[in-house]
Amino acid sequence: MMKRIISIVLTAALLLTALTVFAEDAEVQSIKIGITSATMKPGETQKMIISVTPTNANPVLEYESDNPDVVTAAIGTLIANSEGVANITVRVSGTEIQDSVQVTVSNKTPEEEKPGVDTPGGEEDKPDGETVKVNKITVENRTLYLERYESERIVYSVSPDNATNHNVNFKSSNTSVATVDDRGYVYAKRSGNTTITLESEDGGATASVRVYVSDEYEDDDDYDSTLRSIYITYDDEILANKFEVMETTTVQLGIKVSPSSANKKVTWRSSNKRIATVDSNGKVTGVRKGSCTIYATSTTNSSKRDSVTIVVTDYVKYPDRINVTPQENAVYETGNNVLFTASLYPEDTTETDIIWKVSGGATINQNGLLTITDGGEITVKAYSSNQKTVGEYKFNAVYSEGHFIQVGGAYNLMNTRNIEMYFDTDLSAYSAMNSIFATADAAGNGERIKLSVKTEGKKIIVAPAEFWPEGDVYICIKGTLCDIHGNALGKNLKYKLNIRGNVNVK
């Protein structure tokens, strides 16, 4: 029998840390956005590389997308949400210095992206000659908590879907605290609070968002000018743009800084506490399904921050332990069925699907119903659906009285007699050794006699390793006996021998 050896080569990725000589910050003259690809697929993310002139400048940057439903511009990262086109702008905070890049999100391959092909879909049909007004504006984030110079978009929808004019106007009640542009982006200017009013252009509906702005700069402790970057981590690895947390569960986030000698103290904040909360130590708790942003801001240099999108998913609990039990009064004989049950722990396990497996002489279906086909040790295993937890139950099966059908016999044999059996085809020697045994028990149970089993073409020669015991002996032939082509006998047979007791030759 050939054995296949699979070699798994593990490639270790080396993280190279560059040493930087820091100089005094200079005034920004220009910035340039660098991206790997101007075309993305929904669900993809990519990092933006922002080049600053001069290189020793250290500006606070603002990231904008004119179509965040298509592409979200997070801190240094692009997140493709749905098909379409978005213009991404990165601006030096408090100045007109900026750069823009256009990103296309499409599920099509480059070959399918041909000029002049219209995107399916369009405006919903409206009744002829009738103007449908907006009657409701629904705001997703009715309260915004921002830091000075931070921005966030108001997410809203209008009803009904077939309204003639979907446009909405925005207005801030206190523009010295925060302003809002015609796309719904709120820009925090100084500490305080304001109300952003949304009004449909047709005058049919209004809504409002309360904005609270905190000024972290005023609270910087021992300002750290050496701090260049901070990164949110999990399990000591820098996080990508999105991180999943299940409802009601917690994860502990951490911080890395560059250079590593800089102060690591940060303040944590969630953009939507109804989705996920974060405590002062970075422990995030999923509240309900949805997504929000977790921010970490340096307490010693508030211009340095990092963020990660937290996606809260349904609570899923796989079992930590599985107990496998058979039905009461189970009889472990060939031909019998035994129903097995899996009990999952802890009690709040939500993923209750079980994968049943068995080794030994039995089969089992995915309802846990086992059918015994052969004697010997049988192991029943129940795996969790993620196959990381397993429970098992072992037992020894015996042959039923009618399992082996007697096809012949020989009497008054010497206790060293060889038995020859003939078949219609050449036989597998390996199969013969594993499918033939002898015992003094008529059903095939009990202690087995040591045998020598050899094949010669269509013939099998069975002999005792020492001598046959006195009395009745049964040579049992399992239905798994195969010829050299793999065809199985398919019948469980036995041959009865009667051994005389007056000869004892080894």
Side-chain angles (χ1 to χ4, degrees), residues 212-228:
Y212 297 89
V213 179
S214 62
D215 194 344
E216 294 285 343
Y217 288 92
E218 297 173 356
D219 299 327
D220 284 356
D221 302 325
D222 302 323
Y223 181 78
D224 187 353
S225 61
T226 65
L227 178 63
R228 282 302 185 262

Side-chain angles (χ1 to χ4, degrees), residues 30-334:
S30 65
I31 63 172
K32 182 68 176 176
I33 302 174
I35 58 176
T36 303
S37 175
T39 303
M40 303 172 68
K41 289 187 176 181
E44 283 187 348
T45 62
Q46 68 168 310
K47 291 287 186 181
M48 288 185 284
I49 305 299
I50 311 300
S51 302
V52 180
T53 303
T55 57
N56 62 335
N58 185 31
V60 176
L61 302 177
E62 299 173 354
Y63 299 82
E64 300 175 19
S65 169
D66 68 350
N67 198 346
D69 291 337
V70 173
V71 179
T72 301
I75 298 176
T77 303
L78 299 179
I79 304 171
N81 300 313
S82 61
E83 290 188 302
V85 178
N87 293 301
I88 308 302
T89 300
V90 179
R91 180 186 297 109
V92 176
S93 182
T95 74
E96 297 299 319
I97 300 172
Q98 64 182 41
D99 189 29
S100 298
V101 65
Q102 188 177 84
V103 177
T104 301
V105 180
S106 174
N107 273 314
K108 296 180 180 179
T109 63
E111 292 74 16
E112 294 173 320
E113 293 287 355
K114 297 180 180 179
V117 179
D118 292 332
T119 302
E123 292 188 4
E124 294 186 27
D125 292 335
K126 301 179 179 64
D128 293 337
E130 181 181 345
T131 298
V132 180
K133 278 194 170 187
V134 173
N135 58 29
K136 184 179 180 181
I137 300 175
T138 303
V139 178
E140 181 179 309
N141 41 352
R142 295 183 61 86
T143 305
L144 295 180
Y145 297 92
L146 303 177
E147 297 169 8
R148 186 157 68 101
Y149 301 136
E150 192 177 8
S151 66
E152 190 165 332
R153 180 174 178 261
I154 296 174
V155 180
Y156 69 95
S157 61
V158 299
S159 299
D161 291 339
N162 65 336
T164 304
N165 186 350
H166 282 221
N167 294 338
V168 170
N169 296 322
F170 301 86
K171 183 179 180 180
S172 172
S173 66
N174 191 342
T175 56
S176 65
V177 172
T179 59
V180 61
D181 66 16
D182 57 6
R183 299 166 300 169
Y185 278 90
V186 179
Y187 300 89
K189 299 174 67 177
R190 67 173 180 84
S191 60
N193 57 77
T194 185
T195 299
I196 305 298
T197 301
L198 294 75
E199 183 177 3
S200 63
E201 199 167 82
D202 62 17
T206 62
S208 63
V209 175
R210 192 65 172 166
V211 178
Y212 297 89
V213 179
S214 62
D215 194 344
E216 294 285 343
Y217 288 92
E218 297 173 356
D219 299 327
D220 284 356
D221 302 325
D222 302 323
Y223 181 78
D224 187 353
S225 61
T226 65
L227 178 63
R228 282 302 185 262
S229 302
I230 68 172
Y231 306 97
I232 297 175
T233 65
Y234 175 71
D235 200 18
D236 210 35
E237 295 292 330
I238 296 175
L239 284 180
N241 307 305
K242 289 186 178 181
F243 189 72
E244 290 190 353
V245 179
M246 291 190 297
E247 289 177 314
T248 74
T249 64
T250 62
V251 294
Q252 182 63 57
L253 301 183
I255 289 294
K256 284 186 177 181
V257 297
S258 176
S260 58
S261 58
N263 194 303
K264 297 180 177 63
K265 294 175 64 176
V266 297
T267 56
W268 295 90
R269 183 175 65 82
S270 169
S271 66
N272 192 337
K273 296 179 180 179
R274 294 175 299 171
I275 301 297
T277 62
V278 60
D279 67 12
S280 59
N281 297 314
K283 184 169 72 173
V284 175
T285 302
V287 178
R288 70 178 187 185
K289 284 183 64 176
S291 62
C292 66
T293 304
I294 298 297
Y295 297 93
T297 304
S298 169
T299 62
T300 57
N301 188 339
S302 312
S303 65
K304 308 301 179 184
R305 61 171 64 90
D306 193 17
S307 66
V308 62
T309 299
I310 297 294
V311 179
V312 180
T313 61
D314 287 324
Y315 177 81
V316 176
K317 175 65 176 176
Y318 290 97
D320 298 329
R321 178 168 56 91
I322 302 176
N323 283 356
V324 178
T325 54
Q327 67 187 61
E328 290 187 22
N329 304 317
V331 178
Y332 302 120
E333 284 187 353
T334 53

Side-chain angles (χ1 to χ4, degrees), residues 486-505:
N487 301 309
L489 177 64
K491 299 178 181 179
N492 299 301
L493 307 176
K494 64 181 178 182
Y495 195 84
K496 181 180 178 181
L497 309 178
N498 180 260
I499 308 300
R500 69 177 75 159
N502 60 343
V503 179
N504 189 11
V505 180

